[in-house]
Amino acid sequence: MRMDIGSIVRQVEKALSTRVLFVPGNHDPKDVAHPGNVDRRQRVLAGLRIVGLGGAGPDLFGLPYEWEEAEVDALDLPPWDVLLSHCPPRETALDVLRGGPRHVGSAAVRRRAERGHGLLVSGHIHESVSAEVLGGTLCVNVGGLGEPHGKAQAAVARFRESPDGWQVRVQHRDLEPGGKTKRWSHAISRADSVGTGAL
């Protein structure tokens, strides 16, 4: 909680030699001063419109960045190809607590995914690494970044244009010794993309 998030992001950017976009989580301050913070705003990276939705809800625990469903439903988010949502969509494989089945994601985030056509990336529920298609959106929970919040994990998404639209391929890797690799893909047709603000 005492760490300078902007400083941490700059260290990651330096280590990876690339620009980093992110959203604050529910334990983070709402307004992180860094140009890579895409919470409730759009940035274009490699031709993709990336929009963020930081914090979490609807369960409220008095953490620094929480919201209620009505607030998320009322947001006028810019068009997106990739939605970075800290909180996963509700009633999916992405929002089940360990020892569940108890779904703790957001119905408002789910509605946004169902109306979209692209990729939604979440974390928050670190033990629910999974993928599911809602509407025209491939939703992926990448999991945690390591202790004290679960295993170290990462994912890479690749977008490839095809004659019929776009293909999104995601490779997830458990970075712990003996960790497994998972792969998911999703096709976005040009018909789905027309007029929706998608890819």
Side-chain angles (χ1 to χ4, degrees):
M1 296 292 290
R2 295 187 193 106
M3 289 188 231
D4 176 354
I5 296 169
S7 174
I8 293 168
V9 172
R10 285 188 291 277
Q11 290 175 32
V12 172
E13 288 176 324
K14 184 176 179 181
L16 297 176
S17 298
T18 191
R19 184 173 168 203
V20 172
L21 302 180
F22 68 95
V23 292
N26 52 314
H27 285 272
D28 299 321
K30 185 173 182 178
D31 297 315
V32 176
H34 186 281
N37 181 1
V38 293
D39 187 25
R40 303 183 185 203
R41 58 184 74 105
Q42 181 193 83
R43 296 283 188 275
V44 177
L45 185 64
L48 296 171
R49 294 168 299 178
I50 301 171
V51 173
L53 180 58
D59 295 332
L60 305 178
F61 300 99
L63 296 171
Y65 192 1
E66 297 178 320
W67 39 253
E68 296 189 18
E69 300 279 31
E71 179 184 350
V72 173
D73 279 328
L75 288 175
D76 185 19
L77 291 180
W80 53 270
D81 304 316
V82 178
L83 180 61
L84 300 180
S85 174
H86 180 67
C87 187
R90 192 168 187 89
E91 300 295 327
T92 63
L94 288 69
D95 78 324
V96 180
L97 288 178
R98 183 178 290 117
R102 179 166 173 249
H103 293 278
V104 294
S106 164
V109 170
R110 182 185 176 108
R111 287 188 283 275
R112 291 201 178 261
E114 289 172 339
R115 292 191 306 261
H117 298 279
L119 175 66
L120 182 150
V121 180
S122 70
H124 189 47
I125 310 304
H126 304 144
E127 62 267 34
S128 286
V129 172
S130 191
E132 195 166 314
V133 175
L134 296 174
T137 303
L138 174 62
C139 304
V140 177
N141 183 336
V142 178
L145 286 174
E147 295 301 334
H149 303 292
K151 298 189 288 185
Q153 301 167 77
V156 174
R158 289 185 169 88
F159 290 79
R160 177 168 288 163
E161 192 169 11
S162 71
D164 299 326
W166 292 84
Q167 185 74 29
V168 181
R169 296 182 189 277
V170 178
Q171 179 175 305
H172 176 274
R173 179 103 187 265
D174 180 341
L175 301 175
E176 301 291 330
K180 297 180 180 178
T181 298
K182 298 178 183 179
R183 292 177 179 84
W184 304 288
S185 64
H186 177 61
I188 303 167
S189 74
R190 291 192 189 283
D192 288 339
S193 298
V194 172
T196 65
L199 293 169

